[in-house]
Amino acid sequence: MRHLLATRNLSYDNAMSILDTAQEMATVADRSIKKLPTLRGQTVVNLFFEDSTRTRTSFEAAAKRLSADVLNFALKTSSVSKGESLKDTVQTLEAIGGDAIVMRHWASGAAEQLANFGWSSSAVINAGDGTHEHPTQALLDAFTLRTRLHGDQATAKDLDGVHVVIVGDILHSRVARSNVWLLHTLGAKVTLSGPPTLMPVGAQTWPVDINYDLNELLAQRPDAVMMLRVQAERMSGDFFPSAAEYIRGWGLTNDRYKTIADTKTLIMHPGPMNRGLEISAAAADSPQNTALEQVSNGVSIRMAVLYLLLAGQPGQ
């Protein structure tokens, strides 16, 4: 495994290797000194062409806990604002000494282009490319699910038989796509729900069920329901009549939350949450909500990915 670009082509063995390695990395957070010397002398470049809080800081924390040096690229103050190409930017950063490049880009396929066009010899990690994929988010979601379901016995466990419902703006969500492929690889059943106008063309060919009735899905008591943010910044038109209409059909309202409040159904969200739109305050603040655990687990997953790409020997 030279790069981590997508979950669609991530093998079962590599996915399990990342999850199990993250299980070990999670113990670092409990130490008085939260550091390992594993990547001392190596440099991780955070190359973010889109705004990010959780992902960028999570990768930075992960790299520093492994004792790597970190270079944070700021788009607004870089030569990109003067017209510099992606190729020249990457080669400049690699000349400074980058060993791994963590890249978020607005264009789908940008990370794959960087990894496969011979522009760089660094390991490339896709931190989100357009509406295509966000593999480490899917991995941390799977890790969170596995930990909640199996606790201290989670190591070597996959998600066979687990039912996950993904709700909302599937069309514009790289998180949804990465989760679909990874959850399928790990044995889970995935159901998509949301406005028909926000369901991608061809979604019926994915390894998922599609059900537009959220009430019916919640009545099935799934193991987890993952609420997605409506990505208005990626929309060039109106995809539903109004916010009220969206909430009525696909929001996890107080009334809908009450139907699963006494169950074991987990409520997941990749963040940032829009309280009052896709999720109510009661659902967001409930013990079933794993949003903060997902953020915390993201550091462990990204530590595992950096370790396996730069220092470990995962299977191909």
Side-chain angles (χ1 to χ4, degrees), residues 145-306:
L145 261 174
R146 194 174 79 153
T147 302
R148 275 285 192 118
L149 293 172
H150 300 295
D152 294 338
Q153 306 301 315
T155 301
K157 298 284 181 65
D158 58 23
L159 298 175
D160 186 43
V162 174
H163 184 199
V164 180
V165 176
I166 304 177
V167 184
D169 184 1
I170 310 296
L171 178 63
H172 300 101
S173 177
R174 53 196 174 208
V175 172
R177 286 168 174 79
S178 284
N179 265 293
V180 163
W181 301 114
L182 181 64
L183 290 170
H184 173 69
T185 296
L186 295 175
K189 173 187 175 181
V190 182
T191 303
L192 303 180
S193 187
T197 52
L198 289 176
M199 200 64 64
V201 174
Q204 67 275 9
T205 66
W206 298 355
V208 300
D209 293 331
I210 298 175
N211 187 334
Y212 298 108
D213 190 337
L214 181 56
N215 294 330
E216 179 182 310
L217 288 170
L218 294 178
Q220 296 174 15
R221 303 295 187 265
D223 295 285
V225 55
M226 183 181 297
M227 307 305 298
L228 300 177
R229 179 176 66 88
V230 174
Q231 299 190 42
E233 72 277 10
R234 299 187 190 277
M235 296 180 182
S236 57
D238 295 328
F239 287 82
F240 45 86
S242 66
E245 188 72 18
Y246 182 89
I247 294 167
R248 190 176 302 114
W250 296 280
L252 188 55
T253 61
N254 286 338
D255 287 340
R256 286 197 176 103
Y257 169 63
K258 288 175 184 176
T259 68
I260 60 171
D262 296 325
T263 73
K264 294 182 179 180
T265 298
L266 300 176
I267 300 169
M268 307 187 75
H269 200 300
M273 290 188 290
N274 289 323
R275 291 172 181 249
L277 184 56
E278 75 267 10
I279 188 168
S280 70
D285 295 328
S286 72
Q288 291 158 277
N289 191 308
T290 66
L292 291 179
E293 291 169 55
Q294 290 166 261
V295 173
S296 177
N297 291 336
V299 178
S300 301
I301 282 290
R302 286 152 184 148
M303 288 175 70
V305 169
L306 288 169

